[in-house]
Amino acid sequence: MITKKSVSRRRPIAVGNWKMHKTVAESAAAARRLSRLLSGIRRLEVVIAPSCTALQSVGATLKGTRLRLAAQNLHWENEGAFTGEVSPVQLKEVGCRYVLIGHSERRRLFGETDNVAGRKVSSALRQGLNVIFCIGETLEQRRADQTAAVVREQLEKGLADVTGGSSDRIAIAYEPVWAIGTGQTAAALQISGAHEMIRRQLTEIFGPDSSEAIRVLYGGSVTSDNIAELAGIKNLDGVLVGGASLQTDGFAAIVKILDKMKRQDEKEGSEKCIFC
Ligand code: PGA
């Protein structure tokens, strides 16, 4: 039976990562349309992460709406001689509430290590930003049965300086590298198994109370066709959507399905709890 305890009180979240796509004008137009399409969404938190050049205009577009702005990366210092980098202070100034850290493309293509990701996480939290910390194994690591060890190391190093008090500002995005941009979504069983393991590891790192607040999302080829199946995974607190978030109406459909299913879960959970 579902009890009140087994129904998550964590607010579900959907994040659209636009990566290096869309001009400033296209980004602002998409943000305007999304905020219209999703004006009825109350329970789900919706976050969009445009390119750096579009942050300011999308931030202005989202002002006064329920949608939140995220950056895709940041530098850990607030200012300095770091050509090409953007600081947490600068991100906050244009309206960012969230930042993605440790995305596999940053790790794989730009040499971002767990330790670098860890410095970014603590800097972002210090500056009051919420963090979406991305982790996940490669196909070789999964085949070699190393998923648990890889994820554990990413969590331990990436969250090394995080104290229990700021854990409610962290979300973990479990994104198996082999599922990102490949059209090969992880199976529901693989996702729920990985989420269970991540939740266990978070409990060991932060203790049961602080870890309870941390949301664990799934990312990797999420689309409007597979969202209903993914949303049925009980320990999934949300999704990080890349390619499919570029289609505004498709992303809105993903958000609506997830919101509806999560509200349904909560309703069933509290109804059943009357008798438990
Ligand atoms: P995808 O990307 O949805 O295109 O697989 C996910 C991500 O990179 O976060």
Side-chain angles (χ1 to χ4, degrees):
M1 182 201 287
I2 301 169
T3 67
K4 207 168 220 163
K5 260 196 143 165
S6 66
V7 175
S8 167
R9 298 220 183 87
R10 293 178 290 272
R11 188 174 178 199
I13 179 170
V15 185
N17 174 14
W18 291 349
K19 308 193 182 190
M20 200 173 72
H21 291 284
K22 297 187 191 288
T23 63
V24 174
E26 287 165 352
S27 301
R32 247 191 318 277
R33 180 159 175 80
L34 266 182
S35 59
R36 256 201 320 276
L37 290 172
L38 299 176
S39 61
I41 301 290
R42 296 276 182 274
R43 179 71 186 119
L44 199 79
E45 188 166 21
V46 183
V47 179
I48 50 180
S51 290
C52 204
T53 52
L55 283 172
Q56 184 158 22
S57 69
V58 172
T61 305
L62 296 186
K63 218 167 177 187
T65 75
R66 290 172 186 273
L67 274 60
R68 299 286 171 248
L69 182 68
Q72 299 175 13
N73 185 28
L74 87 176
H75 191 273
W76 57 82
E77 295 290 348
N78 288 341
E79 59 180 4
F82 300 103
T83 302
E85 296 290 329
V86 181
S87 85
V89 173
Q90 292 171 323
L91 294 180
K92 273 177 45 182
E93 187 188 14
V94 294
C96 287
R97 299 263 189 104
Y98 280 87
V99 61
L100 300 180
I101 295 177
H103 191 281
S104 74
E105 284 149 20
R106 300 290 328 157
R107 295 174 187 266
R108 191 166 47 86
L109 304 171
F110 303 99
E112 194 161 302
T113 62
D114 289 331
N115 291 331
V116 164
R119 292 178 82 168
K120 293 182 176 189
V121 169
S122 39
S123 163
L125 291 175
R126 240 188 348 265
Q127 291 305 321
L129 288 163
N130 298 291
V131 169
I132 298 157
F133 181 52
C134 306
I135 60 172
E137 80 288 358
T138 63
L139 192 56
E140 293 69 39
Q141 290 164 336
R142 173 164 281 268
R143 285 187 177 142
D145 211 11
Q146 293 169 344
T147 303
V150 167
V151 162
R152 174 89 196 190
E153 191 171 356
Q154 289 172 333
L155 286 175
E156 279 180 350
K157 291 188 175 163
L159 306 180
D161 295 329
V162 180
T163 55
S166 46
S167 62
D168 60 342
R169 287 194 285 122
I170 296 173
I172 306 295
Y174 169 64
E175 300 201 295
V177 178
W178 46 272
I180 297 178
T182 57
Q184 194 191 336
T185 323
L189 214 58
Q190 288 173 317
I191 298 170
S192 71
H195 278 212
E196 215 168 274
M197 172 190 76
I198 290 165
R199 180 104 1 243
R200 239 188 348 263
Q201 296 183 348
L202 289 171
T203 308
E204 282 166 27
I205 298 171
F206 292 107
D209 289 343
S210 301
S211 64
E212 177 62 22
I214 302 176
R215 291 176 286 189
V216 183
L217 327 183
Y218 167 75
S221 300
V222 176
T223 65
S224 51
D225 291 334
N226 59 28
I227 186 63
E229 191 191 350
L230 296 171
I233 301 172
K234 290 287 178 251
N235 55 6
L236 179 135
D237 297 315
V239 287
L240 174 50
V241 188
S245 71
L246 294 173
Q247 305 301 327
T248 308
D249 291 33
F251 183 62
I254 290 173
V255 168
K256 285 179 182 170
I257 294 168
L258 183 61
D259 182 64
K260 188 171 168 207
M261 291 186 66
K262 286 295 172 193
R263 277 189 292 118
Q264 187 64 32
D265 271 1
E266 287 169 16
K267 195 162 160 251
E268 280 172 13
S270 52
E271 272 168 12
K272 288 194 179 143
C273 199
I274 296 168
F275 308 104
C276 59

